[in-house]
Amino acid sequence: MHDPSAPADNQTSLVPRRPRFPDSIHFQGLNTPIGIEASRACLPVIGVLPEGLEGTFFRAVPDPAHPPMFADDNILSGDGMISAFRFHDGVVDFDIRYVRTARYEAENNAQRALFGGYRNPYTDDASVAGIDRTVANTTPVWHAGRLYMTKEDGRPYVIAPDTLDTQGSWSYDGALRSETVTAHARVDPETGEMFLFGYEAAGPCSLDVSYAVVDAQGQLVREQWFQQPYHGMIHDFAITQTHAVFPFFPTTTDLARLQAGGPKWAHEQNLECRIGIMPRSGDVSGIRWFTGPKGASAFHIMNAHDEGILSIWTCSSLKLTRLASCARPGASTWTSVPSAERSNAGLSTWPATAKISR
């Protein structure tokens, strides 16, 4: 019997066909690109919502709108998607939208990928030279009545919380000098201040790091710059009641490698890690530097507190052997580190006995 819902041979299905993405782990399973913006009221609920639960949960995911220019690209280059789960009156509504970054708009107009390898502008199509490359896909940040979508390679984008419409890149009305802002801002629950940093503040492969403070009203009140010890990734940092903590790990970038079309990051196992600590309201000239083990790495800081001794809790690895778009330096060609190798990871405090004066 003919199924009237099935399209005839000469008809086009009403279900859009997704373009083909690379056959790799970065575009399969939970990383499978969806590319759908949608709204739905009254989601089905399994179980019972807590009585009186009101508010909105915002979530960020990378979701590439177009197949990448290169098959070895990874999901971290995916366009930012922000979703909202809105809890009210015992029900949950849902919205999901792309962040309309300058990059998204350029590729949407062309209907294809124009930006090349992960964080490598030297692999881009010539037509997008000078266009902001960030995809704002890492963390939604709420502060002083504004919702931001963030990624550490650029400035944040402001999002309308009620509609998820993109309102544009944000530089605190031109006051922010840094070209980059962390996706892991820290907000003091007592003072309402937000603390930011940005590495490669003056552009790709620069040693400049920005340290900035935004007051409880959302005004940028302080920005200072300092030089990091080497061209390394600074994915996260910590703020205590009295100190700011900046970790530097030997996953490094190199301008010549980027210009040759190589990957953004290469882990240097024989390079020592460093950590900079300063009074959080002080001058960057007062940073004190500590040296840690060679090759150690910790992408995220779990906690930090100072009670005479400053303790920094991280999920750390003494040997980093797996990282997207990371390669071993010195090879004749840049290849991904084998995923079969495992790191010796665990929780650690470091430096465990460093006495920091208040």
Side-chain angles (χ1 to χ4, degrees):
M1 180 179 294
H2 173 66
D3 181 358
S5 65
D9 292 342
N10 61 350
Q11 291 181 322
T12 301
S13 171
L14 295 179
V15 178
R17 179 174 294 178
R18 293 288 288 150
R20 188 170 183 83
F21 283 82
D23 185 19
S24 77
I25 190 173
H26 294 287
F27 304 96
Q28 297 174 349
L30 292 176
N31 291 333
T32 300
I34 304 300
I36 296 175
E37 297 180 296
S39 297
R40 181 172 179 182
C42 300
L43 291 176
V45 175
I46 299 174
V48 180
L49 292 174
E51 185 176 351
L53 181 62
E54 301 279 337
T56 303
F57 172 74
F58 296 103
R59 181 186 65 176
V61 294
D63 193 339
H66 306 281
M69 290 176 63
F70 306 111
D72 62 352
D73 204 356
N74 70 77
I75 194 62
L76 300 180
S77 290
D79 295 290
M81 274 272 206
I82 181 167
S83 56
F85 295 84
R86 307 182 191 279
F87 297 84
H88 65 96
D89 304 315
V91 300
V92 187
D93 299 335
F94 175 74
D95 297 287
I96 185 167
R97 299 285 187 275
Y98 275 114
V99 182
R100 260 62 178 183
T101 62
R103 172 173 174 154
Y104 174 88
E105 295 289 12
E107 293 188 332
N108 188 51
N109 290 335
Q111 284 298 292
R112 65 182 180 91
L114 297 172
F115 294 82
Y118 174 71
R119 293 182 66 174
N120 188 342
Y122 300 99
T123 61
D124 293 348
D125 187 277
S127 65
V128 295
I131 294 179
D132 183 10
R133 297 186 92 254
T134 190
V135 285
N137 67 4
T138 308
T139 310
V141 175
W142 178 266
H143 183 249
R146 286 193 184 97
L147 175 64
Y148 305 96
M149 277 287 281
T150 61
K151 185 178 177 68
E152 66 193 51
D153 64 346
R155 291 171 176 166
Y157 272 74
V158 178
I159 305 296
D162 294 333
T163 63
L164 301 187
D165 290 339
T166 302
Q167 298 180 334
S169 179
W170 185 245
S171 64
Y172 292 93
D173 296 321
L176 182 71
R177 293 184 294 126
S178 177
E179 296 181 17
T180 63
V181 173
T182 179
H184 294 299
R186 296 288 180 257
V187 177
D188 187 322
E190 295 182 358
T191 67
E193 295 170 297
M194 181 166 66
F195 298 84
L196 310 170
F197 76 93
Y199 69 97
E200 298 185 322
C205 297
S206 76
L207 288 170
D208 300 287
V209 180
S210 164
Y211 173 50
V213 182
V214 181
D215 67 19
Q217 290 71 47
Q219 300 298 312
L220 183 71
V221 294
R222 186 164 65 253
E223 181 184 9
Q224 305 178 72
W225 285 29
F226 63 94
Q227 297 271 296
Q228 65 185 94
Y230 47 75
H231 290 100
M233 178 193 294
I234 320 168
H235 183 68
D236 199 359
F237 81 136
I239 293 292
T240 73
Q241 286 186 323
T242 57
H243 288 89
V245 180
F246 303 94
F248 300 87
F249 298 107
T251 298
T252 64
T253 189
D254 179 79
L255 184 60
R257 183 173 71 237
L258 290 176
Q259 291 173 334
K264 173 68 174 176
W265 302 115
H267 189 70
E268 300 189 41
Q269 190 62 36
N270 293 321
L271 188 62
E272 292 174 328
C273 55
R274 303 287 297 278
I275 188 166
I277 301 175
M278 61 170 282
R280 79 176 200 182
S281 298
D283 191 276
V284 293
S285 62
I287 291 180
R288 297 177 61 187
W289 292 101
F290 298 83
T291 300
K294 292 182 178 180
S297 185
F299 285 102
H300 292 108
I301 294 179
M302 300 176 63
N303 196 8
H305 57 88
D306 47 2
E307 298 168 353
I309 293 177
L310 175 61
S311 296
I312 306 157
W313 292 82
T314 69
C315 186
S316 61
S317 169
L318 294 180
K319 183 180 180 182
L320 181 65
T321 56
R322 188 176 185 184
L323 177 68
S325 288
C326 180
R328 289 194 182 93
S332 57
T333 58
W334 295 102
T335 56
S336 296
V337 175
S339 60
E341 298 182 7
R342 301 295 176 182
S343 60
N344 179 21
L347 301 181
S348 66
T349 58
W350 177 76
T353 59
K355 285 186 174 294
I356 307 299
S357 60
R358 293 181 182 273

